[in-house]
Amino acid sequence: MKPAFSHFYKRTPAERLAILAKTVGLSDDEQQTLATRAADGDAPLLIENYLTAYQLPEGVAVNFRVNQHDFIVPMVTEEPSVIAAASNGAKQLAQAGGITATLRSRLLTGQVVLSDVKVFASIDDWVALHQSELLEVAAQAHPSIVKRGGGPRKVSVRDLGEGFVSVDLTADVKAAMGANMMNTMLEAIAQLIQNKLHHTTLFSILSNAGDQSLATAEVSIPVTQLGTDTATAQQTATRIAQASRIAQLDPMRAVTHNKGIMNGVDAVVIAMGNDWRTIESAAHAFAVQNGQYRGLSQWRVDGDQLVGSLTLPLPVGTVGGATKVLPLVTINQKIAQVDSPETLMKLIVAVGLVQNFAALKALVTTGIQAGHMKMQLRSLAMSVGATPEQVPTLVKLLQQQADPNEAVAKRLLNQLKY
Ligand code: NDP
């Protein structure tokens, strides 16, 4: 490593920028871009070696009706068509009476893992006998969450095989996502296990499985709503159900089915300042819970209704982590009327179901490209350097091309300029 990078983390952002500029040869304009995009406030303190603020577009999806309430949903994404599809899909589901969203529970689990265990029963018995002591030690490690009405709830034990044992702590983390408070409680439990059982622990950390924080969205759409005439509507409903079934049978399709769901889910999770790696990991683990990777949502025709449902693990929070540090999150919570993690979970799972409905309907009717193409052409126009004023004209010209690729876009833009 070059000496300039020694103690890089101790430098100010401006000093880091100067070192980088010299090292990789950033132009004055490039340096200016990095400098002017740097954030105010505490956001730079969230990470290490802060340089600037990487911006993603934020839009709002409209027309959401969940549990008889109307919602406007902030979404942060760089992908064209996601918000348009969400708004359009939400409108159709609202016409059908809206989405019903429910929660099964909202708890977080973490693990203290022991290695080289000779007799599993010895750990199992000890934990059963010392349940209240373990819970008390965990509670004392983070008393403020207990004051808020949450805290540790249960300790259980699993034999992982090969001498590994997991001591699992389940806790109510109230409005937080809870990673840090869980880790603090786990380390206290690990210490107790080491002191009392004289058994060394391998590691202590929360589980991102999120299977104690499941949210479900359901909707029932009159089949007649899906087409201009009865036959088309019936065909669309049947084809959506078939497409959903394929995601249960074929993992290759299930991945793409679920990616479409996560298009909406991630965009809301990011807008709400939450840890989207957690939600991604949890969702895909949940998709494979029965041994085969499957679609997370399911659609079926039931009489004269198309019925859809989606269940997702959603360990999200409305406080803690980055939620109060990133200035847009508080505003986004206000836009979405999100005042609790429960509301946020319901809204996110509803967005996932809407996004899936919109994608499947487009797929089995007009095909995905028809709706996407105009938005993709906007991205193409911008990527070749069209100004905001030039974009609409260039998009119109690109729509008339058989193969609207980058070279074509550049040529057309040049023609527009001269
Ligand atoms: P914090 O460490 O920020 O803890 C939550 C904070 O919110 C506490 O300070 C708590 O106060 C405060 N708070 C205020 N009101 C409430 C309330 N009603 N209910 C609960 N807490 C309240 O965040 P988390 O523990 O939630 O951890 C989330 C962060 O951890 C994320 O940034 C995530 O990226 C990161 N992380 C994720 C990991 C993962 O594997 N997914 C691993 C490690 C970290 P008080 O202290 O007074 O109780």
Side-chain angles (χ1 to χ4, degrees), residues 46 142-146 148 173-183 205-208 273-275 277-278 317 319-323:
L46 281 173
H142 205 100
S144 53
I145 195 64
V146 181
R148 294 182 198 281
V173 291
K174 303 310 286 180
M177 179 265 188
N180 289 317
M181 57 180 77
M182 171 57 78
N183 292 342
I205 191 162
L206 83 153
S207 164
N208 285 304
N274 269 260
D275 182 341
R277 287 82 56 199
T278 296
V319 299
T323 58

